[in-house]
Amino acid sequence: MKRAPARGWPSTIIGIVLLALMLFPVYWMVNASLQPAGNTLQGGWFPFHPDLSGYATALRDQGRNLVTSLVVALGSVVLSLAIAAPAAYALAQFPIRGTNLVVFGILMTQMVPSIVVANALYSAYNDLGLLNSYLGLILADSTAGVPFAIIILRSFMQGIPREIIDAARVDGAGRLRVFRSVVLPVSRNALITAAIFTFLFAWSDFLFALTLTTTETVRPITLGIYQYIGAHTNQWNATMATAVLASAPAAALLIVAQRYVTAGATSGAVK
Amino acid sequence: MSKAVTRARCGERLAQWMFLVPAVAYLLLFFGYPIVKNVVMSFQQYTTTTFYTGAAPFVGLQNYSKILSSDLFTKALLTTVLFTAGSIVGQFVLGLAFALFFQRRFPLGGVLRSLLLLPWLLPLVVSGTTWKWMLDTDTGVLNDALRGLHVVQSGIPWLTGTSQALVSVILINIWVGIPFNTAILYGGLQDIPPHLYEAAKLDGAGPVTSFRYVTWPLLRPVAGVVLVLGVVYTVKVLDIILVVTGGGPANATETLATQSYELSFQQFQFGRGAAMSNILIAISLAFAFVYLRANRRARNV
């Protein structure tokens, strides 16, 4: 987009300073994670002698929780996309009566606090034996991913030219076949964006982990961190190392899939 | 119309609906059911005993009257209003400032703009934990720096002082929310036709005048959506407050959302927790109405 006049490096320098201020907490988290054990008062503003003992402790205590988070987040991606992709296609391309009602319902889900869902699910899960289960968390965590994925995918699929779909239908392909071999491949980028965000939503979940698990068997990393600080530990380096590990997916996805993340950040709301 | 055609039509419609069935079922089970269940629960005495005996007697409006008559409710409502207003104003103003800054074209602008998304992408528990550590009265880096610069003699109790704690969680929440506001507002700025700026320039408008007469009027629909979405999301903020202060000190950072959580999952008064979260939904619904109107306006631009 060429609109504003190009400015030179002074703006870049201002930008870097602003970013450094905004991202200082992230730097501080990494710095604290590399300090030796104990209360890090003696730790400096820069980890001159990086000490990995915090990471050793974190992996020992929280390694299993990291795997749990990964399982739950990946499960939520699969479930959310499996539910959202066909629905988004129907809402985008079929002249179904009731489309507006469903879309309205999806917008309304944004108003529902997670605590309302947790409140009701706790007793339901208690009856169904879904407390402390991967499936229970995957289902609950997808409450953030499903509406978001439907909104993003629908706004993309509305732009798919009818001719492509009609041509496939004329060739005798059934509705499912068109969806699988025409619509999904064309929507690849939107699917990646939706997958990234459903992953991050589930990975970041804290409330469902807090309310729908009671034992250590299925414990996401976010809850692991919370219990670290609850224990009034003076192992701040291990706590911060865990925080760094829990931030890794978000940071990695931002770097590797910058285009998709930026697309998701802007299209999720105003469409 | 022959029967065969009608049947084909029906089959067609059924096939189309099949694509929607899983999503509708999911939304009904995981949003519809909880909302209904919460309304019912809020009129019941629903406690831990319920889980053993299955008994949840209806108590009419008792849960609501208990909540509304407690001193804590008034305090939590006021805190919710302050927390939301403070967060929204801060996020919006700073988010807009960032968006305007990134509208300039300069080397590395795009990279810096996407790096700014990081605070928004991190798990809130991580952000909360990090800030808790930075704002610690004795060992936190902020007081460390302030002491080093001789701004203060002894550390400010950012999270343990009753008057400071709310300001601290608002500032943290602003930090979390800036990237989202910047991303959406930047998108809105990109949609303003450049020739309008050129025309304003020809008329001798400076940056302030052109912001006032070109940028702001055209950005207003998007700004409305961002503000209302911001309110809807901020009213229900839970993670940050639970992690950073746990609602303390002396209930200084208790909001309706944290209250609802504590009633249900710490005092096991599920009926009262449900009543509290229904009040929260009612507040969100009022804003939802505004949001949908703003959304309709934004679409017509």
Side-chain angles (χ1 to χ4, degrees), chain A residues 183-207:
Chain A
V183 175
L184 287 183
V186 172
S187 312
R188 186 177 153 269
N189 288 359
L191 286 166
I192 294 175
T193 298
I196 288 172
F197 278 88
T198 50
F199 181 91
L200 288 178
F201 287 149
W203 177 273
S204 308
D205 161 68
F206 168 63
L207 186 70

Side-chain angles (χ1 to χ4, degrees), chain B residues 193-243:
Chain B
H195 66 82
L196 292 178
Y197 289 112
E198 283 149 29
K201 202 168 246 171
L202 286 178
D203 290 344
V208 176
T209 318
S210 87
F211 176 82
R212 198 176 141 187
Y213 291 104
V214 178
T215 312
W216 183 243
L218 287 167
L219 195 62
R220 209 162 23 189
V222 177
V225 171
V226 171
L227 286 171
V228 177
L229 267 184
V231 170
V232 167
Y233 291 146
T234 310
V235 163
K236 53 183 192 181
V237 164
L238 203 59
D239 303 23
I240 288 283
I241 298 178
L242 283 184
V243 170

Side-chain angles (χ1 to χ4, degrees), chain A residues 28-39:
Chain A
W28 200 246
M29 172 173 75
V30 176
N31 176 35
S33 75
L34 292 167
Q35 303 290 347
N39 231 343

Side-chain angles (χ1 to χ4, degrees), chain A residues 1 3-4 7 11-12 22 25 32 104 108 110 116 119 126 139 142-143 175 207 210 240 247 258 266 269, chain B residues 12 23 26 31 38 51 104-105 107 114 126 130 133 175 183 190 192 229 233 236 238 261 264 270 285 292:
Chain A
M1 292 294 265
R3 47 180 64 249
R7 324 250 175 158
S11 290
T12 306
M22 273 299 286
F104 178 75
M108 294 309 285
Q110 300 302 298
V116 169
N119 226 346
N126 194 35
L139 284 165
S142 300
T143 49
R175 202 173 295 282
L207 186 70
L210 183 67
M240 286 302 161
S247 309
Q258 184 201 325
T266 43
Chain B
E12 180 84 350
Y26 180 85
F31 286 103
N38 256 272
F51 290 111
R104 310 166 167 200
R105 290 197 359 261
S114 52
V126 167
T130 305
W133 171 228
W175 179 80
Q190 293 298 300
I192 298 175
L229 267 184
Y233 291 146
K236 53 183 192 181
L238 203 59
Y261 164 75
S264 287
F270 285 91
L285 270 178
L292 289 169

Side-chain angles (χ1 to χ4, degrees), chain A residues 5-18, chain B residues 101-102 104-109 112:
Chain A
R7 324 250 175 158
W9 290 96
S11 290
T12 306
I13 291 164
I14 296 170
I16 290 173
V17 170
L18 289 173
Chain B
F101 175 75
F102 282 117
R104 310 166 167 200
R105 290 197 359 261
F106 54 87
L108 296 181
L112 293 175

Side-chain angles (χ1 to χ4, degrees), chain B residues 60-162:
Chain B
L61 290 169
Q62 194 191 309
N63 288 326
Y64 288 96
S65 61
K66 273 268 184 337
I67 288 174
L68 294 173
S69 62
S70 79
D71 299 340
L72 201 50
F73 176 80
T74 323
K75 192 174 162 70
L77 183 64
L78 181 65
T79 306
T80 305
V81 171
L82 289 174
F83 177 78
T84 307
S87 296
I88 296 296
V89 170
Q91 287 174 10
F92 183 81
V93 170
L94 290 169
L96 181 60
F98 269 108
L100 288 167
F101 175 75
F102 282 117
Q103 229 200 338
R104 310 166 167 200
R105 290 197 359 261
F106 54 87
L108 296 181
V111 176
L112 293 175
R113 192 163 48 83
S114 52
L115 279 178
L116 183 65
L117 288 171
L118 193 56
W120 181 58
L121 296 174
L122 293 181
L124 289 168
V125 174
V126 167
S127 307
T129 306
T130 305
W131 277 100
K132 191 182 167 96
W133 171 228
M134 286 169 53
L135 297 180
D136 189 90
T137 310
D138 303 319
T139 58
V141 63
L142 184 58
N143 280 343
D144 221 18
L146 291 176
R147 277 191 299 258
L149 297 167
H150 301 292
V151 177
V152 292
Q153 286 302 309
S154 60
I156 297 170
W158 294 109
L159 301 176
T160 46
T162 42

